[in-house]
Amino acid sequence: MTKPEWQKAAEAADASAAPSEAAPKAAQKAAPEAATKKVRGKPFVKGKSGNPAGLKPGTRHRKTLMLEHMSDDDRAAIVSKIIRQAKRGDRPSQKMIVDRIEPPRKGRAAPFSLPPIKTAADVVGALATVTAAMAAGKISPAEAVEIAAVIETARRAIETQDVEVRLHALEERFK
């Protein structure tokens, strides 16, 4: 009587493996599929979703649902507890309250006026105005960088327009 191929492969693997790597007896008696090759890494097909239909329309996150079901009494109790913790010196609670009262500033209008930028030469004057405002303390260095980026975008747009006009003139000349 001959042994099945999967049993021969399992015995050969056991013989070549170190004693600490030997498979348990239950694995040796497993089905032939289990004794072949163990899938490692990412067994899923690349680019194919496990849930191609996605979430059903209108599905909401569990936290959103929990907040909706919270009653006004619960909200009041939570807010009062956060306030009590903040008064006792709890830094995260204090930060939470301050962030809600006065959220971090996301940007503001520049407190000075830029000269009009019509040509590439006007860019130099605009950058000089930004530098002077930063030096005078009217704007922060971070705000100066953001304004300079806007000026740079305007410069590139002007140069692109100039190149198009020059190219069109050359094409007309050589027709």
Side-chain angles (χ1 to χ4, degrees), residues 36-169:
T36 56
K37 188 174 181 183
K38 191 174 190 179
V39 177
R40 295 198 172 265
K42 298 179 181 178
F44 303 108
V45 178
K46 188 173 184 175
K48 181 160 176 127
S49 171
N51 184 10
L55 293 176
K56 295 178 185 174
T59 303
R60 292 181 299 177
H61 195 271
R62 184 177 32 196
K63 288 181 182 179
T64 306
L65 293 173
M66 183 183 73
L67 287 172
E68 284 180 358
H69 292 296
M70 189 185 303
S71 70
D72 289 334
D73 295 336
D74 294 337
R75 284 189 189 99
I78 291 170
V79 169
S80 65
K81 182 173 182 174
I82 291 172
I83 291 171
R84 278 195 314 271
Q85 288 175 337
K87 286 180 179 178
R88 278 190 261 137
D90 183 41
R91 299 293 272 183
S93 298
Q94 291 171 347
K95 182 177 181 338
M96 184 185 304
I97 291 171
V98 169
D99 286 347
R100 297 307 183 273
I101 291 172
E102 187 175 334
R105 196 168 58 188
K106 300 282 190 212
R108 62 184 176 117
F112 68 98
S113 61
L114 282 173
I117 304 172
K118 302 264 189 223
T119 65
D122 295 338
V123 170
V124 175
L127 287 173
T129 304
V130 171
T131 305
M134 183 185 70
K138 291 182 180 177
I139 60 173
S140 70
E143 290 171 328
V145 169
E146 291 175 8
I147 295 169
V150 172
I151 294 170
E152 172 62 17
T153 303
R155 183 195 61 80
R156 280 186 284 172
I158 291 168
E159 285 184 356
T160 302
Q161 186 179 16
D162 288 346
V163 168
E164 284 182 18
V165 169
R166 290 170 53 199
L167 181 63
H168 184 67

